Amino acid sequence: MRVFIHADDFGLSRSINKTILQTVDYGATSSVSIIPNGAYFNEAMSEFKKRKNLRLSIHINISEGRPVLPATEVSLLINQHGHFKHSFISLVFHYYFNTKENRDRIL
């Protein structure tokens, strides 16, 4: 049996990037999930490009930080400061107990 170690939250912070890269360079981790709206996304992508054998997946995030889309396209998901305003549970609740028009706007 083969076991693969996958690291999550790549791009979220400088310290998370550093720790993930240490495990990659040591050989313990072979794949990572990057958060496109993470504060250190660009740094993470730059480091990823240096490591040819590292697999990359995308961590979809609609509950923390700022969206990568313009605020006008995700207005139901963000607060007045431009940050996502719902927890995962809250988002599910708002989706299932909302009008069809608002559900369509959420997705």
Side-chain angles (χ1 to χ4, degrees), residues 82-97:
H83 290 89
F84 287 118
K85 65 182 178 180
H86 297 289
S87 67
F88 179 75
I89 298 299
S90 172
L91 188 59
V92 170
F93 179 82
H94 282 282
Y95 178 80
Y96 284 109
F97 297 102

Side-chain angles (χ1 to χ4, degrees), residues 34-84:
I34 194 161
I35 298 181
N37 69 329
Y40 290 86
F41 171 81
N42 291 332
E43 175 187 285
M45 284 304 299
S46 176
E47 292 296 327
F48 166 74
K49 291 174 184 176
K50 297 176 187 176
R51 292 159 174 87
K52 301 299 181 204
N53 293 326
L54 183 59
R55 290 180 289 166
L56 182 70
S57 59
I58 297 176
H59 179 137
I60 303 297
N61 176 19
I62 56 173
S63 62
E64 294 179 32
R66 293 180 175 273
V68 295
L69 292 172
T72 55
E73 293 189 38
V74 290
S75 61
L76 291 177
L77 300 177
I78 61 173
N79 63 22
Q80 65 273 16
H81 304 292
H83 290 89
F84 287 118

